[in-house]
C-alpha cells in the first residue's frame, strides 16, 4: 500500500489511528516541534501523553528534531515522567534534520512535509491547518529506506563530516 495523504487525512488516518497501534517502536523525525494536541476520546491531550503511554506499554520511542521545542511543549514534557525516566524514550537533536519521517514498528512509514506541530500533524481545525502532503506506506523497500535515513542521522553516522558541528547545540556523536 502506498497512499498519498493531505492535511486532515494525515491527522485522521495516521496520527489518530496508526501511531497508538505501535507495539515495538515508534520513530519520529521532524524539523520543528511545538505544542501538538490529539483527540483522546472526547478530550484533547498533548501528543506527549500518547508517547508516554506508548513508553509505559514497553514501546521504544525515538524523537529526532532540528531545534529545541517550543516553550509549551517543554512545559508539557515535564508532566510526563515516563519520558524523562524511561530508557525506552530517546531524543536527539540535529540542526540539519529537515525530513519528516515517522516509522511504526518497521512496518509502516509516513514520509511527508508535516512537522510535529499542531498545524502540521495535530488536531487543529481544518481552517487553521497547514497545507501538507505525505506518503503513508507499508511497502517494505520504502519503509526500509526511510528507516535507514532516520537511523543514520539518529546514531550520528553523519556527525563527523557535518559542517555545522562547531555550532551544534547537542552533538549526537
Amino acid at each position: 500500500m502506498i497512499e498519498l495523504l493531505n492535511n486532515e487525512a494525515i491527522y485522521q488516518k495516521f496520527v489518530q489511528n496508526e501511531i497508538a497501534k505501535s507495539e515495538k517502536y515508534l520513530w519520529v523525525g521532524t524539523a520543528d516541534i511545538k505544542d501538538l494536541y490529539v483527540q483522546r476520546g472526547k478530550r484533547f491531550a498533548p501528543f506527549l501523553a500518547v508517547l508516554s503511554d506508548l513508553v509505559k506499554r514497553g514501546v521504544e520511542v525515538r524523537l529526532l528534531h532540528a531545534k529545541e521545542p517550543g516553550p509549551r511543549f517543554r512545559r508539557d514534557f515535564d508532566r510526563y515522567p515516563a519520558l524523562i525516566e524511561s530508557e525506552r524514550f530517546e531524543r536527539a537533536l540535529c540542526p540539519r534534520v529537515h525530513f519528516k519521517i515517522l516509522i511504526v514498528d518497521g512496518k509502516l512509514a509516513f514520509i511527508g512535509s508535516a512537522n510535529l506541530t499542531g498545524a502540521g500533524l495535530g488536531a487543529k481545525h481544518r481552517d487553521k491547518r497547514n497545507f501538507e502532503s505525505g506518503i503513508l506506506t507499508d511497502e517494505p523497500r520504502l519503509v526500509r529506506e526511510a528507516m535507514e535515513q532516520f537511523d543514520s542521522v539518529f546514531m550520528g553516522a553523519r556527525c563527523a563530516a557535518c559542517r555545522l558541528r562547531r555550532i551544534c547545540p547537542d552533538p549526537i556523536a
Side-chain angles (χ1 to χ4, degrees):
M1 170 260 309
I2 300 174
E3 187 174 352
L4 178 65
L5 303 179
N6 59 26
N7 298 356
E8 185 100 3
I10 294 169
Y11 173 72
Q12 292 295 332
K13 242 185 162 167
F14 185 68
V15 175
Q16 275 298 109
N17 294 317
E18 299 300 334
I19 288 177
K21 293 178 187 175
S22 300
E23 295 176 354
K24 297 177 184 172
Y25 58 89
L26 172 69
W27 293 358
V28 179
T30 183
D32 197 7
I33 184 169
K34 293 182 182 170
D35 200 28
L36 163 65
Y37 278 71
V38 296
Q39 190 165 2
R40 299 184 87 190
K42 293 184 179 188
R43 303 185 66 156
F44 289 86
F47 183 67
L48 290 165
V50 174
L51 298 182
S52 180
D53 289 349
L54 290 173
V55 166
K56 288 176 186 176
R57 281 195 357 239
V59 175
E60 305 280 336
V61 175
R62 283 182 170 180
L63 177 59
L64 175 61
H65 50 98
K67 58 185 179 179
E68 284 300 325
R72 290 172 65 189
F73 187 96
R74 290 193 311 265
R75 189 172 50 246
D76 279 347
F77 188 87
D78 292 338
R79 293 177 30 213
Y80 298 97
L83 300 179
I84 298 166
E85 298 162 2
S86 178
E87 292 181 9
R88 290 188 184 102
F89 181 79
E90 296 178 279
R91 182 201 66 83
L93 187 146
C94 172
R96 305 253 337 252
V97 168
H98 200 265
F99 57 65
K100 288 75 175 183
I101 295 175
L102 291 94
I103 307 287
V104 175
D105 294 334
K107 297 176 184 174
L108 186 67
F110 173 79
I111 307 159
S113 63
N115 280 304
L116 196 67
T117 65
L121 289 174
K124 288 264 187 189
H125 185 276
R126 85 179 79 215
D127 297 334
K128 293 183 177 183
R129 296 183 62 78
N130 293 339
F131 302 122
E132 304 287 3
S133 185
I135 300 289
L136 181 64
T137 184
D138 63 359
E139 207 292 314
R141 182 184 59 82
L142 289 175
V143 173
R144 182 181 66 253
E145 289 176 8
M147 287 179 66
E148 287 170 359
Q149 181 181 16
F150 181 105
D151 196 48
S152 71
V153 175
F154 194 86
M155 298 306 291
R158 300 179 185 204
C159 288
C162 179
R163 293 189 180 206
L164 295 179
R165 177 102 175 144
R166 290 186 343 268
I167 62 167
C168 186
D170 191 15
I172 298 169

